Amino acid sequence: MKKIGIVGSGRWAKVTLRILINIFNGKIKFVIFSNHGIEQLKNWISEENFKIDYLEVADYEQVDKKICDAYIILNAAKDHFKISKKIISLGKPIIIEKPLALSKSDVKILVDLSIKEKTIFGASNIFLFADYILNFKKLISASQNISSIEFIWSDPKNESRYGDLKHFDASLGIHKDVLPHIFSIVFYLFETSKATIKNICYLNGGSYIKISMIIEGKNCKIEIKRNNKKRERIIKILDKNIIKMDFANEPGIAKINNKKEILDTQWDISESPATKMYRSFFDTLIEKNSSLDPRIKPSNEIYALIDDVDALYIKEQDKYIRKSITDKIDELDDFNYCIKEYFLVKSLAKYDDVDTKVLNFIKLLKNKSINTENLINKDLSAFVRMHI
């Protein structure tokens, strides 16, 4: 292997480049493909003064011209499918950051194409390479009568990670963003993917949702939230004991009936989970005869479940927007969050003008310049399109 392509130029692309430089000790060439911010990326590379012989920045459109031996997909989620399909069609190995694509049908297309092209397709599941997750799995393995599972995942409005400010993609519903992580962890812990979604509770304009589901006959509740006051990562298992893991600050702490236990005593001197994952992926490519680590094999089942959540989410979002328009906007920040996501998903605005369009739309609503009498009988997207 001589050259690796990194598709994307955001915070995680920078972290990944540092990891790969460390893994390969400067002996690999890198091409970073970006759609926006190429000059900023070049400036950052210059400032970092990397000790490698070859590092190039190129436009997305060059991805099938500047051929690499393998690719890592880290760009915007909405672009994952198109660019990944192009790379897999070249017969090149690929590993994709979550979500793999925005629907189960698109994920299936990528999986089937990788089989047809006989190329390796990996899914980035970083948490499954964290020893504290493995140790928590061992901890709960003796539990015979688990009655319920709870998972809480929330992020603060402003958070710095790995030296950069963390931003969420406003066009990506929180369920599509976070559930690939949560489902991969839960299914790994309980060695199953047999699950059904019961219902969801849509709160705070979609920035906070609660999901009720059944996993192997066990009740499971999931809460995910953006713009929270603090970062939360909590799994709670109810058996004869209450077993809880809090990994908001890695490597996390487990509690069995409030008795604390450190889950990874070697965390400070071990490789990061991301490093272990990428090392595993590239070892598979280099050794050629080895099979892909099952922890990073794509899961159609996960994306089928996310589609089920999405169907319920869209219905609840529709209800929320209609009520906000016809009655009144109870909480401006919540409505702003919701309608911004709606505009981007429906291609009613682009990233560079969405804030202006949202502001103007809200002004119309406040000034009662929109006739809402026929909204109940109209398609919501058609109604909104008329007034932006």
Side-chain angles (χ1 to χ4, degrees), residues 13 16 23-24 33 40 56 82 96 102 114 118 151-152 169 187 194 257 264 273 276 285-286 344:
T16 299
I23 289 174
F24 292 103
F33 299 93
Q40 292 93 321
E56 181 182 358
K82 181 180 178 181
I96 309 176
L102 298 184
S114 68
K118 298 180 181 179
F151 207 127
I152 298 172
D169 183 347
F187 295 159
K194 294 180 180 179
N257 294 335
D264 184 2
K276 292 175 184 176
L285 304 187
I286 293 168
L344 291 170

PDB file of all heavy atoms in Angstrom, residues 13 16 23-24 33 40 56 82 96 102 114 118 151-152 169 187 194 257 264 273 276 285-286 344:
ATOM      1  N   ALA A  13     -11.590  14.564  10.003  1.00  0.00           N
ATOM      2  CA  ALA A  13     -10.605  14.268   8.964  1.00  0.00           C
ATOM      3  C   ALA A  13      -9.201  14.633   9.445  1.00  0.00           C
ATOM      4  O   ALA A  13      -8.230  13.911   9.189  1.00  0.00           O
ATOM      5  CB  ALA A  13     -10.943  15.023   7.682  1.00  0.00           C
ATOM      6  N   THR A  16      -8.119  12.063  11.989  1.00  0.00           N
ATOM      7  CA  THR A  16      -7.797  10.816  11.303  1.00  0.00           C
ATOM      8  C   THR A  16      -6.439  10.884  10.617  1.00  0.00           C
ATOM      9  O   THR A  16      -5.663   9.926  10.654  1.00  0.00           O
ATOM     10  CB  THR A  16      -8.894  10.483  10.265  1.00  0.00           C
ATOM     11  OG1 THR A  16     -10.144  10.309  10.948  1.00  0.00           O
ATOM     12  CG2 THR A  16      -8.561   9.224   9.491  1.00  0.00           C
ATOM     13  N   ILE A  23       0.338   5.766  12.603  1.00  0.00           N
ATOM     14  CA  ILE A  23       0.312   4.336  12.300  1.00  0.00           C
ATOM     15  C   ILE A  23       1.368   3.967  11.272  1.00  0.00           C
ATOM     16  O   ILE A  23       2.110   2.990  11.433  1.00  0.00           O
ATOM     17  CB  ILE A  23      -1.084   3.909  11.784  1.00  0.00           C
ATOM     18  CG1 ILE A  23      -2.116   3.932  12.923  1.00  0.00           C
ATOM     19  CG2 ILE A  23      -1.035   2.512  11.170  1.00  0.00           C
ATOM     20  CD1 ILE A  23      -3.540   3.659  12.477  1.00  0.00           C
ATOM     21  N   PHE A  24       1.449   4.756  10.215  1.00  0.00           N
ATOM     22  CA  PHE A  24       2.346   4.421   9.105  1.00  0.00           C
ATOM     23  C   PHE A  24       3.715   5.090   9.210  1.00  0.00           C
ATOM     24  O   PHE A  24       4.581   4.887   8.350  1.00  0.00           O
ATOM     25  CB  PHE A  24       1.689   4.786   7.770  1.00  0.00           C
ATOM     26  CG  PHE A  24       0.491   3.931   7.446  1.00  0.00           C
ATOM     27  CD1 PHE A  24      -0.790   4.418   7.609  1.00  0.00           C
ATOM     28  CD2 PHE A  24       0.658   2.629   6.999  1.00  0.00           C
ATOM     29  CE1 PHE A  24      -1.897   3.631   7.312  1.00  0.00           C
ATOM     30  CE2 PHE A  24      -0.426   1.833   6.705  1.00  0.00           C
ATOM     31  CZ  PHE A  24      -1.722   2.332   6.866  1.00  0.00           C
ATOM     32  N   PHE A  33      -9.348  14.789  -0.074  1.00  0.00           N
ATOM     33  CA  PHE A  33     -10.328  15.308  -1.028  1.00  0.00           C
ATOM     34  C   PHE A  33     -11.335  16.169  -0.283  1.00  0.00           C
ATOM     35  O   PHE A  33     -11.911  15.747   0.721  1.00  0.00           O
ATOM     36  CB  PHE A  33     -11.035  14.157  -1.751  1.00  0.00           C
ATOM     37  CG  PHE A  33     -10.115  13.285  -2.554  1.00  0.00           C
ATOM     38  CD1 PHE A  33      -9.553  12.139  -2.004  1.00  0.00           C
ATOM     39  CD2 PHE A  33      -9.791  13.613  -3.870  1.00  0.00           C
ATOM     40  CE1 PHE A  33      -8.702  11.334  -2.744  1.00  0.00           C
ATOM     41  CE2 PHE A  33      -8.938  12.816  -4.616  1.00  0.00           C
ATOM     42  CZ  PHE A  33      -8.383  11.675  -4.051  1.00  0.00           C
ATOM     43  N   GLN A  40      -8.117  26.697   3.366  1.00  0.00           N
ATOM     44  CA  GLN A  40      -7.970  26.611   4.822  1.00  0.00           C
ATOM     45  C   GLN A  40      -7.271  25.318   5.217  1.00  0.00           C
ATOM     46  O   GLN A  40      -6.451  25.299   6.140  1.00  0.00           O
ATOM     47  CB  GLN A  40      -9.348  26.685   5.498  1.00  0.00           C
ATOM     48  CG  GLN A  40     -10.034  28.035   5.371  1.00  0.00           C
ATOM     49  CD  GLN A  40     -10.958  28.096   4.168  1.00  0.00           C
ATOM     50  OE1 GLN A  40     -10.646  27.561   3.107  1.00  0.00           O
ATOM     51  NE2 GLN A  40     -12.087  28.759   4.337  1.00  0.00           N
ATOM     52  N   GLU A  56      -1.249  15.680  -0.419  1.00  0.00           N
ATOM     53  CA  GLU A  56      -1.885  16.499  -1.452  1.00  0.00           C
ATOM     54  C   GLU A  56      -3.335  16.783  -1.080  1.00  0.00           C
ATOM     55  O   GLU A  56      -4.008  15.964  -0.469  1.00  0.00           O
ATOM     56  CB  GLU A  56      -1.830  15.767  -2.802  1.00  0.00           C
ATOM     57  CG  GLU A  56      -2.450  16.545  -3.954  1.00  0.00           C
ATOM     58  CD  GLU A  56      -2.420  15.784  -5.272  1.00  0.00           C
ATOM     59  OE1 GLU A  56      -1.881  14.662  -5.287  1.00  0.00           O
ATOM     60  OE2 GLU A  56      -2.949  16.296  -6.269  1.00  0.00           O
ATOM     61  N   LYS A  82     -23.055   8.832  -2.592  1.00  0.00           N
ATOM     62  CA  LYS A  82     -22.606   9.115  -3.958  1.00  0.00           C
ATOM     63  C   LYS A  82     -21.114   8.860  -4.135  1.00  0.00           C
ATOM     64  O   LYS A  82     -20.687   8.166  -5.071  1.00  0.00           O
ATOM     65  CB  LYS A  82     -22.928  10.561  -4.331  1.00  0.00           C
ATOM     66  CG  LYS A  82     -22.516  10.950  -5.741  1.00  0.00           C
ATOM     67  CD  LYS A  82     -22.871  12.404  -6.027  1.00  0.00           C
ATOM     68  CE  LYS A  82     -22.405  12.819  -7.423  1.00  0.00           C
ATOM     69  NZ  LYS A  82     -22.732  14.258  -7.687  1.00  0.00           N
ATOM     70  N   ILE A  96     -16.193   3.800   5.979  1.00  0.00           N
ATOM     71  CA  ILE A  96     -17.055   4.977   5.994  1.00  0.00           C
ATOM     72  C   ILE A  96     -17.436   5.350   7.415  1.00  0.00           C
ATOM     73  O   ILE A  96     -17.861   4.506   8.200  1.00  0.00           O
ATOM     74  CB  ILE A  96     -18.334   4.733   5.173  1.00  0.00           C
ATOM     75  CG1 ILE A  96     -18.006   4.210   3.773  1.00  0.00           C
ATOM     76  CG2 ILE A  96     -19.162   6.014   5.079  1.00  0.00           C
ATOM     77  CD1 ILE A  96     -19.233   3.859   2.942  1.00  0.00           C
ATOM     78  N   LEU A 102     -27.910   7.524   4.092  1.00  0.00           N
ATOM     79  CA  LEU A 102     -29.080   8.086   4.751  1.00  0.00           C
ATOM     80  C   LEU A 102     -30.302   7.185   4.726  1.00  0.00           C
ATOM     81  O   LEU A 102     -31.365   7.563   5.219  1.00  0.00           O
ATOM     82  CB  LEU A 102     -29.421   9.450   4.136  1.00  0.00           C
ATOM     83  CG  LEU A 102     -28.331  10.518   4.291  1.00  0.00           C
ATOM     84  CD1 LEU A 102     -28.812  11.839   3.726  1.00  0.00           C
ATOM     85  CD2 LEU A 102     -27.914  10.688   5.748  1.00  0.00           C
ATOM     86  N   SER A 114     -20.060  -3.761  -3.098  1.00  0.00           N
ATOM     87  CA  SER A 114     -18.744  -4.187  -2.609  1.00  0.00           C
ATOM     88  C   SER A 114     -18.562  -5.692  -2.802  1.00  0.00           C
ATOM     89  O   SER A 114     -17.448  -6.156  -3.083  1.00  0.00           O
ATOM     90  CB  SER A 114     -18.572  -3.813  -1.131  1.00  0.00           C
ATOM     91  OG  SER A 114     -19.425  -4.568  -0.300  1.00  0.00           O
ATOM     92  N   LYS A 118     -15.884  -7.347  -5.230  1.00  0.00           N
ATOM     93  CA  LYS A 118     -14.935  -8.117  -4.422  1.00  0.00           C
ATOM     94  C   LYS A 118     -13.925  -7.208  -3.726  1.00  0.00           C
ATOM     95  O   LYS A 118     -12.716  -7.443  -3.736  1.00  0.00           O
ATOM     96  CB  LYS A 118     -14.210  -9.149  -5.292  1.00  0.00           C
ATOM     97  CG  LYS A 118     -15.146 -10.188  -5.910  1.00  0.00           C
ATOM     98  CD  LYS A 118     -14.385 -11.185  -6.773  1.00  0.00           C
ATOM     99  CE  LYS A 118     -15.338 -12.207  -7.392  1.00  0.00           C
ATOM    100  NZ  LYS A 118     -14.636 -13.175  -8.267  1.00  0.00           N
ATOM    101  N   PHE A 151     -30.329   3.843  27.561  1.00  0.00           N
ATOM    102  CA  PHE A 151     -29.144   4.442  26.937  1.00  0.00           C
ATOM    103  C   PHE A 151     -29.411   5.938  26.801  1.00  0.00           C
ATOM    104  O   PHE A 151     -30.407   6.341  26.207  1.00  0.00           O
ATOM    105  CB  PHE A 151     -28.901   3.821  25.563  1.00  0.00           C
ATOM    106  CG  PHE A 151     -27.465   3.835  25.110  1.00  0.00           C
ATOM    107  CD1 PHE A 151     -26.839   2.679  24.702  1.00  0.00           C
ATOM    108  CD2 PHE A 151     -26.724   5.017  25.088  1.00  0.00           C
ATOM    109  CE1 PHE A 151     -25.508   2.668  24.276  1.00  0.00           C
ATOM    110  CE2 PHE A 151     -25.401   5.034  24.680  1.00  0.00           C
ATOM    111  CZ  PHE A 151     -24.794   3.851  24.271  1.00  0.00           C
ATOM    112  N   ILE A 152     -28.542   6.738  27.369  1.00  0.00           N
ATOM    113  CA  ILE A 152     -28.659   8.203  27.277  1.00  0.00           C
ATOM    114  C   ILE A 152     -27.423   8.743  26.566  1.00  0.00           C
ATOM    115  O   ILE A 152     -26.295   8.419  26.930  1.00  0.00           O
ATOM    116  CB  ILE A 152     -28.778   8.847  28.668  1.00  0.00           C
ATOM    117  CG1 ILE A 152     -30.035   8.350  29.375  1.00  0.00           C
ATOM    118  CG2 ILE A 152     -28.800  10.367  28.557  1.00  0.00           C
ATOM    119  CD1 ILE A 152     -30.137   8.798  30.830  1.00  0.00           C
ATOM    120  N   ASP A 169     -24.128  18.376  12.124  1.00  0.00           N
ATOM    121  CA  ASP A 169     -24.632  18.678  10.788  1.00  0.00           C
ATOM    122  C   ASP A 169     -26.118  19.006  10.906  1.00  0.00           C
ATOM    123  O   ASP A 169     -26.928  18.148  11.234  1.00  0.00           O
ATOM    124  CB  ASP A 169     -24.412  17.461   9.877  1.00  0.00           C
ATOM    125  CG  ASP A 169     -24.845  17.708   8.445  1.00  0.00           C
ATOM    126  OD1 ASP A 169     -25.533  18.717   8.177  1.00  0.00           O
ATOM    127  OD2 ASP A 169     -24.510  16.879   7.571  1.00  0.00           O
ATOM    128  N   PHE A 187     -25.950  -3.787  20.246  1.00  0.00           N
ATOM    129  CA  PHE A 187     -25.963  -5.095  19.598  1.00  0.00           C
ATOM    130  C   PHE A 187     -24.670  -5.863  19.868  1.00  0.00           C
ATOM    131  O   PHE A 187     -24.671  -7.094  19.936  1.00  0.00           O
ATOM    132  CB  PHE A 187     -26.197  -4.952  18.091  1.00  0.00           C
ATOM    133  CG  PHE A 187     -27.557  -4.393  17.745  1.00  0.00           C
ATOM    134  CD1 PHE A 187     -27.794  -3.806  16.516  1.00  0.00           C
ATOM    135  CD2 PHE A 187     -28.594  -4.462  18.651  1.00  0.00           C
ATOM    136  CE1 PHE A 187     -29.047  -3.293  16.212  1.00  0.00           C
ATOM    137  CE2 PHE A 187     -29.845  -3.957  18.349  1.00  0.00           C
ATOM    138  CZ  PHE A 187     -30.078  -3.367  17.125  1.00  0.00           C
ATOM    139  N   LYS A 194     -31.653  -8.432  16.758  1.00  0.00           N
ATOM    140  CA  LYS A 194     -33.098  -8.633  16.707  1.00  0.00           C
ATOM    141  C   LYS A 194     -33.779  -7.583  17.579  1.00  0.00           C
ATOM    142  O   LYS A 194     -33.730  -7.652  18.810  1.00  0.00           O
ATOM    143  CB  LYS A 194     -33.458 -10.036  17.195  1.00  0.00           C
ATOM    144  CG  LYS A 194     -32.958 -11.155  16.289  1.00  0.00           C
ATOM    145  CD  LYS A 194     -33.345 -12.522  16.830  1.00  0.00           C
ATOM    146  CE  LYS A 194     -32.840 -13.635  15.923  1.00  0.00           C
ATOM    147  NZ  LYS A 194     -33.193 -14.987  16.451  1.00  0.00           N
ATOM    148  N   ASN A 257     -24.809  -1.393  41.650  1.00  0.00           N
ATOM    149  CA  ASN A 257     -25.468  -0.954  42.890  1.00  0.00           C
ATOM    150  C   ASN A 257     -24.614   0.088  43.617  1.00  0.00           C
ATOM    151  O   ASN A 257     -24.343  -0.006  44.816  1.00  0.00           O
ATOM    152  CB  ASN A 257     -25.756  -2.145  43.812  1.00  0.00           C
ATOM    153  CG  ASN A 257     -26.785  -3.089  43.212  1.00  0.00           C
ATOM    154  OD1 ASN A 257     -27.599  -2.678  42.382  1.00  0.00           O
ATOM    155  ND2 ASN A 257     -26.743  -4.345  43.630  1.00  0.00           N
ATOM    156  N   ASP A 264     -11.191   0.604  32.377  1.00  0.00           N
ATOM    157  CA  ASP A 264      -9.966   0.443  31.590  1.00  0.00           C
ATOM    158  C   ASP A 264      -8.823   1.154  32.299  1.00  0.00           C
ATOM    159  O   ASP A 264      -8.620   2.361  32.132  1.00  0.00           O
ATOM    160  CB  ASP A 264     -10.161   1.006  30.178  1.00  0.00           C
ATOM    161  CG  ASP A 264      -8.941   0.787  29.287  1.00  0.00           C
ATOM    162  OD1 ASP A 264      -7.967   0.175  29.761  1.00  0.00           O
ATOM    163  OD2 ASP A 264      -8.966   1.224  28.125  1.00  0.00           O
ATOM    164  N   PRO A 273      -9.133   4.135  20.689  1.00  0.00           N
ATOM    165  CA  PRO A 273     -10.016   3.242  19.941  1.00  0.00           C
ATOM    166  C   PRO A 273      -9.979   3.496  18.431  1.00  0.00           C
ATOM    167  O   PRO A 273     -10.010   2.546  17.641  1.00  0.00           O
ATOM    168  CB  PRO A 273     -11.399   3.545  20.525  1.00  0.00           C
ATOM    169  CG  PRO A 273     -11.111   3.994  21.924  1.00  0.00           C
ATOM    170  CD  PRO A 273      -9.826   4.763  21.826  1.00  0.00           C
ATOM    171  N   LYS A 276      -6.868   1.898  17.020  1.00  0.00           N
ATOM    172  CA  LYS A 276      -7.025   0.438  16.949  1.00  0.00           C
ATOM    173  C   LYS A 276      -7.913   0.043  15.772  1.00  0.00           C
ATOM    174  O   LYS A 276      -7.647  -0.949  15.085  1.00  0.00           O
ATOM    175  CB  LYS A 276      -7.627  -0.082  18.257  1.00  0.00           C
ATOM    176  CG  LYS A 276      -6.704   0.045  19.459  1.00  0.00           C
ATOM    177  CD  LYS A 276      -7.426  -0.388  20.732  1.00  0.00           C
ATOM    178  CE  LYS A 276      -6.556  -0.186  21.958  1.00  0.00           C
ATOM    179  NZ  LYS A 276      -7.282  -0.518  23.208  1.00  0.00           N
ATOM    180  N   LEU A 285      -6.064  -5.108   4.896  1.00  0.00           N
ATOM    181  CA  LEU A 285      -5.677  -4.822   3.506  1.00  0.00           C
ATOM    182  C   LEU A 285      -4.251  -5.284   3.223  1.00  0.00           C
ATOM    183  O   LEU A 285      -3.964  -5.838   2.155  1.00  0.00           O
ATOM    184  CB  LEU A 285      -5.794  -3.322   3.228  1.00  0.00           C
ATOM    185  CG  LEU A 285      -7.155  -2.660   3.483  1.00  0.00           C
ATOM    186  CD1 LEU A 285      -7.129  -1.224   2.983  1.00  0.00           C
ATOM    187  CD2 LEU A 285      -8.281  -3.426   2.823  1.00  0.00           C
ATOM    188  N   ILE A 286      -3.368  -5.046   4.171  1.00  0.00           N
ATOM    189  CA  ILE A 286      -1.959  -5.382   3.961  1.00  0.00           C
ATOM    190  C   ILE A 286      -1.743  -6.892   3.941  1.00  0.00           C
ATOM    191  O   ILE A 286      -0.995  -7.425   3.120  1.00  0.00           O
ATOM    192  CB  ILE A 286      -1.088  -4.714   5.054  1.00  0.00           C
ATOM    193  CG1 ILE A 286      -1.124  -3.183   4.879  1.00  0.00           C
ATOM    194  CG2 ILE A 286       0.341  -5.223   4.986  1.00  0.00           C
ATOM    195  CD1 ILE A 286      -0.557  -2.418   6.061  1.00  0.00           C
ATOM    196  N   LEU A 344     -33.103  22.133   5.010  1.00  0.00           N
ATOM    197  CA  LEU A 344     -31.921  21.493   4.434  1.00  0.00           C
ATOM    198  C   LEU A 344     -32.237  20.099   3.890  1.00  0.00           C
ATOM    199  O   LEU A 344     -31.799  19.738   2.797  1.00  0.00           O
ATOM    200  CB  LEU A 344     -30.805  21.417   5.475  1.00  0.00           C
ATOM    201  CG  LEU A 344     -30.170  22.753   5.873  1.00  0.00           C
ATOM    202  CD1 LEU A 344     -29.255  22.584   7.074  1.00  0.00           C
ATOM    203  CD2 LEU A 344     -29.398  23.362   4.696  1.00  0.00           C
TER     204      LEU A 344
END
